[in-house]
Amino acid sequence: MIFDTHAHYDDTAFDQDRETLLFSMKENGVGYIVNACASIEDMEKTIALMEKYPFIYGAVGVHPDDADKMTQETLEKIRDLSMHKKTVAIGEIGLDYYWHKEKEEHCIQKEMFCAQMDIARERKLPFMIHSRDAAEDTLSIVREYVKAGMYGGIIHCFSYGKEMAKEYLDMGLFLGIGGVVTFKNARKLKEVVAYAPLDQLVLETDCPYMSPEPYRGKRNASHNLVYVAQAIADLKGISVDEVIAVTEENGKKLLHI
Ligand code: NI
């Protein structure tokens, strides 16, 4: 069964047909979904999805876009929600210098990233990282934490090159691979996927965003991961069934499902 390790089904893009869509997942070969929190206000929506659907689990945390709105209270709330029995990770957390260019913002992002990594450690949960245009700072923070002892993690929507991939793979972390790998111009990511061992890859949609070919630009959903699995299979010269089976095992092992 397909394991979507990173989705946003609380997004308003699913308001019209969320229930029908989610109830059709099983017949479309999707066995497990992790819904990742992004904004502060929407964390409860992930909890509601986890409670309603047996195959949905949650990652709780706040995206770097919202770092400047976080307070001690937000961190307490993340700590609280991390106690839920279906919370399997802390995420998505990290650094985004693409949308935020100011040095001051970077400082706040780093502080909140570390505070949430502390919660992951405290709760013995894996972390799920968003990192865009912030390769060096992300790597140095993750390295420090892993060196001092963490419980595994995923670099979500991995967008850096082979050298950076090697750093994370050597730490035993997983790379989250989504729709981008099906794009013709995604040379860098294709190289990473060909290079990385299959036991350290997980599938993810980041839906409603990041639809694979042939649905690029349309609303994404977990069953489209079959196209991502096919692209990985082609790059590695193995069957799509093997990619789906191994990435399912990877997800279950890392997230203790
Ligand atoms: Ni995401």
Side-chain angles (χ1 to χ4, degrees):
M1 298 289 270
I2 288 171
F3 192 148
D4 185 354
T5 59
H6 190 115
H8 300 285
Y9 281 108
D10 54 305
D11 195 282
T12 52
F14 297 108
D15 281 356
Q16 295 305 314
D17 60 348
R18 183 176 292 107
E19 192 165 312
T20 326
L21 182 67
L22 286 173
F23 278 124
S24 75
M25 283 300 159
K26 232 187 193 118
E27 63 197 73
N28 284 308
V30 179
Y32 307 87
I33 296 169
V34 176
N35 204 74
C37 291
S39 72
I40 299 174
E41 312 83 62
D42 291 343
M43 285 197 281
E44 251 94 21
K45 292 187 182 165
T46 287
I47 304 298
L49 287 169
M50 277 152 61
E51 289 178 348
K52 179 161 182 183
Y53 300 94
F55 53 91
I56 297 188
Y57 298 80
V60 301
V62 174
H63 192 283
D65 280 351
D66 261 12
D68 58 348
K69 290 186 232 144
M70 291 177 74
T71 60
Q72 277 312 313
E73 207 183 310
T74 319
L75 293 171
E76 272 321 305
K77 190 166 173 192
I78 294 169
R79 200 169 268 119
D80 253 16
L81 298 179
S82 74
M83 309 281 184
H84 193 290
K85 61 179 189 311
K86 287 183 83 187
T87 295
V88 293
I90 298 297
E92 58 180 287
I93 60 175
L95 303 173
D96 193 314
Y97 298 171
Y98 179 83
W99 292 109
H100 308 272
K101 313 266 187 222
E102 303 296 320
K103 264 260 149 3
E104 244 166 80
E105 291 180 294
H106 297 178
C107 284
I108 299 171
Q109 285 191 13
K110 282 191 253 186
E111 190 188 328
M112 289 303 147
F113 179 22
C114 291
Q116 295 182 87
M117 288 291 267
D118 289 336
I119 298 175
R121 172 181 292 150
E122 190 184 302
R123 298 281 305 121
K124 299 188 166 49
L125 286 170
F127 49 84
M128 214 173 254
I129 287 185
H130 169 105
S131 175
R132 191 164 182 203
D133 278 6
E136 293 306 324
D137 283 358
T138 308
L139 179 64
S140 72
I141 291 174
V142 171
R143 199 188 263 142
E144 283 296 300
Y145 272 89
V146 168
K147 213 194 282 171
M150 290 297 278
Y151 299 87
I154 298 172
I155 313 301
H156 141 69
C157 199
F158 190 79
S159 62
Y160 301 123
K162 207 165 121 181
E163 314 288 289
M164 203 45 86
K166 183 179 188 310
E167 298 281 351
Y168 290 114
L169 294 168
D170 287 349
M171 286 188 250
L173 301 176
F174 290 79
L175 308 183
I177 308 298
V180 176
V181 75
T182 66
F183 300 169
K184 278 202 178 61
N185 57 356
R187 192 185 49 82
K188 200 169 65 170
L189 183 62
K190 287 182 202 282
E191 206 177 278
V192 166
V193 168
Y195 162 78
L198 187 60
D199 327 2
Q200 282 179 274
L201 299 183
V202 289
L203 302 180
E204 56 165 44
T205 51
D206 206 18
C207 66
Y209 313 106
M210 295 286 184
S211 270
E213 291 290 0
Y215 299 112
R216 191 169 179 178
K218 307 241 166 64
R219 185 184 75 172
N220 199 5
S222 305
H223 51 263
N224 287 340
L225 281 175
V226 69
Y227 298 99
V228 173
Q230 185 63 59
I232 297 174
D234 292 345
L235 286 163
K236 294 200 165 294
I238 55 178
S239 73
V240 66
D241 290 344
E242 185 177 354
V243 172
I244 290 173
V246 174
T247 51
E248 176 188 353
E249 269 322 296
N250 295 345
K252 283 191 191 165
K253 220 185 318 166
L254 172 71
L255 302 164
H256 302 288
I257 288 173

